[in-house]
Amino acid sequence: MNKVLILMSTYNGEKFLREQIDSLISQKLPEDYELDILVRDDGSTDATANILDEYRSLNILDWYTGDNLKPAKSFWDLVRQAPEAKYYCFCDQDDIWNDDKVARAIAMLENEELEQPLLYCSNV
């Protein structure tokens, strides 16, 4: 089984977080892929931690918290903490993903040589 790991940094994201996570877990992946989500909270003071706990209790994601590092350093910390996966996706807490976003990325990347790191990004 091939793993896709979504890395998300949150900070006071309660307003959009549920819709975002729901869009992540609705991804339609190729048969031989599974999706995991790792979230790093950047010291939220709103209900973000409660929402993340709810999804963790459903075994949908894992998360941890730390000092407020701001987005770039928070994502860097996520990369350092991330378990091994075939593909890594970076996700903002207020994005809503179409259900084929990850599958389209995999399809593009699978057409390339995997002997070197590859980056896929979209313009929207």
Side-chain angles (χ1 to χ4, degrees):
M1 186 68 64
N2 294 304
K3 184 186 294 188
V4 175
L5 180 61
I6 297 177
L7 303 174
M8 180 177 11
S9 179
T10 59
Y11 179 72
N12 291 339
E14 69 179 328
K15 182 176 178 183
F16 302 104
L17 191 55
R18 286 182 200 279
E19 190 174 4
Q20 170 59 5
I21 294 170
D22 290 343
S23 79
L24 300 180
I25 62 177
S26 296
Q27 292 299 301
K28 296 175 182 166
L29 300 176
E31 268 185 43
D32 55 338
Y33 283 85
E34 66 181 12
L35 182 82
D36 286 336
I37 304 169
L38 179 62
V39 181
R40 181 190 184 280
D41 184 68
D42 210 23
S44 293
T45 57
D46 66 357
T48 295
N50 295 334
I51 295 168
L52 293 171
D53 276 340
E54 288 174 30
Y55 282 95
R56 180 169 43 198
S57 72
L58 299 170
N59 294 319
I60 291 172
L61 59 77
D62 195 13
W63 77 279
Y64 65 100
T65 191
D67 293 334
N68 188 303
L69 300 176
K70 308 295 183 205
K73 289 182 180 177
S74 182
F75 274 108
W76 182 246
D77 190 66
L78 271 165
V79 169
R80 290 180 36 230
Q81 300 297 324
E84 189 170 330
K86 183 168 185 178
Y87 295 115
Y88 299 88
C89 303
F90 295 87
C91 178
D92 288 331
Q93 68 186 12
D94 61 349
D95 289 345
I96 307 303
W97 288 11
N98 292 334
D99 64 2
D100 64 342
K101 180 180 179 76
V102 174
R104 284 190 328 243
I106 290 170
M108 293 291 291
L109 292 168
E110 293 288 314
N111 288 328
E112 301 295 327
E113 295 290 327
L114 293 177
E115 295 177 17
Q116 61 184 3
L118 298 173
L119 175 67
Y120 169 90
C121 59
S122 61
N123 64 354
V124 290

